[in-house]
Amino acid sequence: MKRVTSAVMFVIAAALAAAAQSASQPPTTTTGLDSVLAKVQQTAKTTDADLFQLRIDRWKTDNEQKDQLQRVSASLHKNLTLAVPDLVREVQAGKGSVSATFKLYHNLNIVYEYLSSLADAAAGLGKKEESDPLNRDAAALDSLRQELSSYIEQASVALEAKARATPTPTPVPVATPQKMVIDEQPGKKTATPKKKKTSPTTPQPTPTPH
């Protein structure tokens, strides 16, 4: 019982130490992203080579499960040799674009989940020589996807801060054109002509008839 308790305490202590180390690590920068992408490419090649070493047809299970596991292995091979390199090039072309990096991160999450499942199957149905390399590959992918997640988070924060710091341009009011009166002779007022007063006509006497 003491041995079990000691083992549990050791695992907990190791987990806490790893969490503390991860929290103290500096954030991934754009320069560091190039290193992460290089490791993603190398890990993809290593994982694909380890998949090639699997002998799923000899595993201790029925043919239906063997077919299913072989399909998983084939899908992983296709993703690691086609999708991952394309996504890495897209991130490089976009110079660390957040959207492109997120697509790579999302794809690595899927690869990690299926690879971990295949590693578990290899541990239970295959040989240790088959499961151990896959477990190492899964651990490497897990570390890389965490680094990508850290970069995405900090790049997003930087973009938001930049957007807040950029002032919104104030619209310039458009002046309303005014009518201008130009005098032909400066300094003189234009005389306004006055109307002549017409005197009323005096009525003539009407002649008396004789």
Side-chain angles (χ1 to χ4, degrees):
M1 184 67 181
K2 289 183 178 179
R3 290 182 179 177
V4 175
T5 304
S6 299
V8 171
M9 292 300 295
F10 175 79
V11 171
I12 294 175
L16 290 174
Q21 182 180 4
S22 176
S24 63
Q25 288 177 348
T28 305
T29 60
T30 307
T31 305
L33 181 62
D34 294 334
S35 175
V36 175
L37 295 177
K39 288 187 286 186
V40 168
Q41 291 176 308
Q42 182 57 50
T43 302
K45 292 178 181 178
T46 303
T47 304
D48 186 55
D50 292 335
L51 289 172
F52 184 75
Q53 299 300 323
L54 298 179
R55 294 294 177 264
I56 298 177
D57 57 322
R58 299 180 184 177
W59 288 4
K60 300 174 183 179
T61 184
D62 55 65
N63 291 332
E64 183 178 354
Q65 188 173 10
K66 286 180 183 178
D67 291 341
Q68 183 179 358
L69 293 170
Q70 284 174 338
R71 284 196 295 270
V72 171
S73 178
S75 296
L76 285 170
H77 164 72
K78 186 176 181 180
N79 193 304
L80 292 168
T81 57
L82 297 177
V84 171
D86 285 347
L87 290 171
V88 168
R89 283 192 291 268
E90 187 175 341
V91 175
Q92 292 171 334
K95 297 181 180 180
S97 163
V98 175
S99 59
T101 307
F102 181 79
K103 287 167 65 177
L104 175 61
Y105 165 75
H106 178 68
N107 184 70
L108 289 185
N109 281 337
I110 297 174
V111 172
Y112 170 77
E113 291 175 5
Y114 279 93
L115 184 63
S116 298
S117 176
L118 190 60
D120 291 340
L125 305 174
K127 296 181 179 180
K128 192 176 187 302
E129 294 79 7
E130 295 174 298
S131 61
D132 284 354
L134 294 185
N135 282 321
R136 287 194 297 268
D137 297 333
L141 284 174
D142 186 30
S143 176
L144 290 171
R145 67 177 185 157
Q146 289 179 16
E147 291 188 65
L148 288 175
S149 175
S150 176
Y151 169 79
I152 292 169
E153 179 181 359
Q154 292 171 57
S156 300
V157 170
L159 287 174
E160 291 176 358
K162 184 177 180 181
R164 288 194 297 268
T166 304
T168 305
T170 306
V172 180
V174 180
T176 305
Q178 297 180 352
K179 292 183 179 180
M180 298 181 65
V181 178
I182 301 175
D183 294 336
E184 294 181 359
Q185 297 179 358
K188 290 185 178 181
K189 292 184 179 179
T190 305
T192 305
K194 294 182 179 181
K195 290 184 178 180
K196 269 187 178 182
K197 289 185 178 180
T198 55
S199 55
T201 307
T202 306
Q204 297 293 329
T206 306
T208 306
H210 291 284

